[in-house]
Amino acid sequence: MASLPTIAILISGSGSNLQALIDATQSGKLRANIVVVGSNRKAAYGLERANKAGIPTRTFSLKQFKDQGKTRVDFDIYVAKTIQEEYKPDLVVLAGFMHILSPEFLSFFPQNNVMNLHPALPGQFDGAHAIERAYDAFKKGDIQHTGVMVHKVIADVDRGQVILQRNIPIEKDDTLEDLEKRIHSVEHEIIVEGAQKFLDELTASE
């Protein structure tokens, strides 16, 4: 039997999307092994989730690099090199990784096998605070709905090739918290489906 493809996951926070991926690999819904969870914040609760699931973890401190007089690009190269050389993942998933990746990071993954989850539709609300910005736009009457996508990562933020996307309604009585909950529940599904689709396409192209 062929071994399962491998995934490295990068996080910065509580890791609820990471948990969705862990649960999916354990249930067999996502046919892959998570080989490492990395974080740029050592207090990220997602690291606890990984430890509970028996998945190796790594932390990477940008501050440490800057304190040594090194640059953000030096940091990116170190993170990418560590992930690629030590774990050789078939897919790298950014699951709430709050750090914009440089072209130098991406150069370590020439197969373009880095995937990101973003709580907006393609071309809308790129970058940070996408949910709040969509909510404000809805209140002004500029949009009727928002969405979630998973996409390949390129140097332009949130502009890579879309793997999957889904529209999400905004109701007129919604609070921001209502919209956040609705989006997060869809994120937990689409990150799993997107990872599987990405791996299926990878296998098909070999």
Side-chain angles (χ1 to χ4, degrees):
M1 187 180 155
S3 60
L4 289 170
T6 56
I7 299 178
I9 301 173
L10 295 176
I11 62 162
S12 294
S14 77
S16 63
N17 286 306
L18 164 66
Q19 190 65 56
L21 290 162
I22 291 171
D23 293 346
T25 56
Q26 290 175 342
S27 71
K29 187 175 180 186
L30 176 56
R31 297 180 300 282
N33 283 324
I34 302 169
V35 287
V36 66
V37 172
S39 176
N40 58 342
R41 293 179 186 160
K42 67 174 187 291
Y45 182 66
L47 295 170
E48 290 283 311
R49 297 178 189 269
N51 287 330
K52 281 181 187 160
I55 299 164
T57 60
R58 299 293 291 260
T59 54
F60 304 99
S61 166
L62 176 58
K63 183 181 181 301
Q64 221 169 43
F65 266 68
K66 289 190 164 171
D67 288 349
Q68 293 166 4
K70 293 179 181 171
T71 66
R72 194 184 174 95
V73 168
D74 292 330
F75 173 77
D76 276 13
I77 289 169
Y78 173 71
V79 175
K81 200 171 176 192
T82 303
I83 297 291
Q84 181 67 301
E85 292 182 0
E86 294 188 23
Y87 301 98
K88 299 182 176 58
D90 295 302
L91 174 61
V92 177
V93 177
L94 310 181
F97 189 54
M98 306 310 287
H99 176 83
I100 294 170
L101 299 176
S102 63
E104 287 82 0
F105 180 102
L106 296 171
S107 70
F108 281 84
F109 302 94
Q111 307 83 8
N112 198 10
N113 59 335
V114 183
M115 178 186 113
N116 182 47
L117 169 74
H118 185 61
L121 292 171
Q124 292 190 332
F125 314 113
D126 298 341
H129 310 297
I131 301 175
E132 292 93 324
R133 286 155 57 209
Y135 185 72
D136 289 344
F138 173 77
K139 289 290 183 195
K140 287 180 195 158
D142 294 342
I143 59 170
Q144 301 305 311
H145 64 269
T146 184
V148 175
M149 65 170 169
V150 283
H151 65 93
K152 293 187 177 184
V153 176
I154 59 172
D156 288 341
V157 174
D158 300 322
R159 288 285 166 152
Q161 180 192 331
V162 175
I163 299 160
L164 279 180
Q165 67 184 73
R166 200 168 295 168
N167 288 356
I168 294 174
I170 309 175
E171 309 295 347
K172 66 174 177 6
D173 299 328
D174 275 349
T175 63
L176 177 59
E177 290 70 27
D178 292 333
L179 180 59
E180 282 173 341
K181 273 185 198 155
R182 192 174 304 127
I183 285 177
H184 291 327
S185 69
V186 174
E187 283 181 333
H188 299 164
E189 296 168 7
I190 201 172
I191 198 168
V192 170
E193 291 168 22
Q196 188 61 64
K197 185 167 187 247
F198 200 122
L199 291 170
D200 289 345
E201 286 172 5
L202 215 60
T203 311
S205 67
E206 283 172 0

